[in-house]
Amino acid sequence: MDSISIAATDRVFVLTGAGISAESGLPTFRDSDGLWAGYRIEDVCTPEAWQRNPAGVWAFYSARRAAAQQAKPNPGHLALAELESRLPERFFLCTQNVDDLHERAGSVNLLHMHGELAKSRCENDCGAPPVEDHAVYASLSDVGRCACGGLLRPHIVFFDEIPLGMERIEREILRATLMVVVGTSGSVYPAANFVHWARQNGARTVYVGPEAPLNAAAFTHVVEGKAGEALPGLFVVEA
Ligand code: NAD
Ligand code: ZN
């Protein structure tokens, strides 16, 4: 089997996508013909959908919350948390996923660039911070309001909105010597560009997943397999 060696001088940047949570029972887009859990993205994850039909958006994200709460981290999430514990201060995990399976597996140095299911925030740009929210809303009248009067919306980056933490992400990519990308189709930007930035900066770039992503040419190494089977034991950490 392939193994990837990590030297004492290496600094690792990991990017994960929906594929790493597939073995935990959470559906990806790709495996359902571009739908997410049976929904068209433009009906549930765009600013226009929120303006037009906030009840529909909340119904979708309430169902995603309920599914994520039922799911458990799989060996892929656990392998990344274990790798981090062996590389203190030299490991950064950026996920496109909105579930919390990485943190439940033990990952610490973690950034959710597309937001988090378990939080809500004001729909207005009023400066109020996101709040923890595990509620599964049956009706829009149950959804709370901010002090400014705005309705709470999911703390999710809708399509056409700017991802969270981009300055930190760019900084981490620029100092990484190894980029590992797991379970993402390479179709959502800017995440699909991260591998190019890392490559331009001289890093080794590894993809892990059952099929080649759209940006496969930018990887120095492709490990074909499911995250939960390929990640455990993949990395050899040199002293
Ligand atoms: P995608 O659905 O476009 O692609 C999924 C990728 O995962 C595919 O390339 C597929 O080959 C791969 N895959 C399938 N099973 C796998 C496995 N067992 N191990 C490893 N890889 C596997 O997903 P994306 O590129 O992450 O883009 C989806 C967007 O939708 C993201 O922005 C994300 O915010 C959102 N999303 C999130 C979740 C979640 O939080 N769990 C789920 C679906 C979608
Ligand atoms: Zn507000």
Side-chain angles (χ1 to χ4, degrees), residues 42-113:
E42 51 273 38
D43 292 340
V44 288
C45 353
T46 61
E48 295 72 32
W50 175 254
Q51 293 308 327
R52 206 171 46 232
N53 181 13
V57 172
W58 264 122
F60 175 73
Y61 281 106
S62 289
R64 302 281 70 70
R65 265 183 191 173
Q69 283 165 18
Q70 294 289 316
K72 292 188 176 57
N74 68 55
H77 299 103
L78 294 166
L80 291 178
E82 196 258 346
L83 179 61
E84 177 176 8
S85 72
R86 290 155 72 202
L87 299 172
E89 314 293 321
R90 295 192 285 133
F91 180 98
F92 181 76
L93 174 55
C94 174
T95 185
Q96 298 172 83
N97 294 347
V98 295
D99 66 55
D100 61 355
L101 295 176
H102 282 304
E103 40 272 68
R104 280 160 55 199
S107 288
V108 179
N109 203 10
L110 165 70
L111 190 152
H112 283 273
M113 66 179 291

Side-chain angles (χ1 to χ4, degrees), residues 184-189 192 213-215:
T184 174
S185 57
S187 57
V188 177
Y189 287 85
L214 296 174
N215 52 3

Side-chain angles (χ1 to χ4, degrees), residues 15-18 29-30 36 41 96-97 113-114 157-161 163 184-195 213-215:
L15 171 69
T16 62
F29 283 142
R30 268 284 161 124
W36 184 359
I41 297 312
Q96 298 172 83
N97 294 347
M113 66 179 291
H114 290 161
V157 176
F158 292 145
F159 278 77
D160 294 336
E161 292 183 330
T184 174
S185 57
S187 57
V188 177
Y189 287 85
N193 271 333
F194 293 176
V195 63
L214 296 174
N215 52 3

